[in-house]
Amino acid sequence: MTYKEFKQKVKKAYPEANISFTTNGAQYMATVEGHLVLYTNAGSDAIYGMMNGVSIGRCLGIE
């Protein structure tokens, strides 16, 4: 997925949340309210998450 698609999916999943987005070109990241971090690699359709530094695995509800 593209960075634009990633941002759209995260914004749709958390419409009221304060979200910051970053990318280094190879990985896309979104920090939701400072506790939940969602990320994916460029070219991947899977979105993964970490809550307070603990992996929560693939985020199927967002995809």
Side-chain angles (χ1 to χ4, degrees), residues 2-59:
T2 66
Y3 186 50
K4 181 179 177 181
E5 290 169 329
F6 173 75
K7 289 171 66 173
Q8 289 172 338
K9 288 183 179 197
V10 173
K11 286 179 183 178
K12 183 177 179 183
Y14 299 96
E16 303 295 322
N18 181 14
I19 306 169
S20 62
F21 293 94
T22 58
T23 182
N24 63 9
Q27 187 176 58
Y28 313 145
M29 296 185 71
T31 303
V32 182
E33 300 287 344
H35 302 288
L36 174 63
V37 177
L38 303 171
Y39 57 93
T40 189
N41 293 325
S44 172
D45 287 331
I47 297 174
Y48 298 90
M50 291 181 65
M51 180 64 101
N52 293 325
V54 177
S55 176
I56 59 173
R58 193 166 172 170
C59 300

